[in-house]
Amino acid sequence: LLMADILPQWALICRKGILSKAQLPRVDELAPLRVCLKKFFVAPGKPLRWSLLFAVHAMLTAILETEKVMNDIISISETVYGLCFWQLDYAFDLKKKERDHVESQVFLQNMPAVMFLKNLGLPVFGSRATWNPLCGGTIFSYISFFGNLEGGCALIDGRAQLRITLHLFHALRV
């Protein structure tokens, strides 16, 4: 299953997918498996790294442990992923309809950067390759960090109110 179904899809993801085109911020920290795979598939003649071997072993273990419920995991992951971006689309539409959206200019300017993350889960690759526990978890961690934390801060920080509050919080904590 891993060799016949998932590894060829990973090769396509790394060579022709979003990861081959985009330089996502903090990808080394949040998606180490994808970084290892990309390095391997870009230069397959180089010696294998231990980190890649460990990641593939972790993937195989995760697949074997979850094989009985894999279809449920895939279905739930796709649903949660879709709802995340449905919620962002809904918020974007509401902000566009506001007559006086002086404060939301930053929101409107930063929204396309956050919506770019929708490309991570496009259904052009096999769902087992995209939504297995290790890769699906990586996608969700990336979306949670960048889309919710960094992107969310950029979206609501129109007048630096978030940064001021966080600076005050940290100053008062000391």
Side-chain angles (χ1 to χ4, degrees), residues 61-79:
T61 303
I63 289 170
L64 292 174
E65 292 291 325
T66 61
E67 184 59 36
K68 292 179 183 174
V69 292
M70 183 61 84
N71 290 334
D72 292 336
I73 290 172
I74 290 170
S75 174
I76 291 168
S77 297
E78 289 173 340
T79 302

Side-chain angles (χ1 to χ4, degrees), residues 131-144:
W131 297 114
N132 61 65
L134 196 57
C135 290
T138 299
I139 289 172
F140 284 125
S141 70
Y142 203 85
I143 289 172
S144 294

Side-chain angles (χ1 to χ4, degrees), residues 21-52:
K21 309 291 184 226
Q23 293 296 328
L24 301 173
R26 297 189 181 205
V27 72
D28 293 339
E29 301 166 32
L30 298 170
L33 171 64
R34 292 182 182 249
V35 172
C36 290
L37 287 171
K38 187 174 178 180
K39 287 179 183 175
F40 173 73
F41 287 122
V42 168
K46 290 188 176 183
L48 289 176
R49 296 173 160 230
W50 282 107
S51 55
L52 177 61

Side-chain angles (χ1 to χ4, degrees), residues 93-105 108:
D93 289 342
L94 285 177
K95 281 291 186 184
K96 285 193 304 188
K97 291 177 184 175
E98 289 181 1
R99 293 199 183 271
D100 182 27
H101 54 271
V102 175
E103 293 179 63
S104 63
Q105 284 303 315
L108 294 173

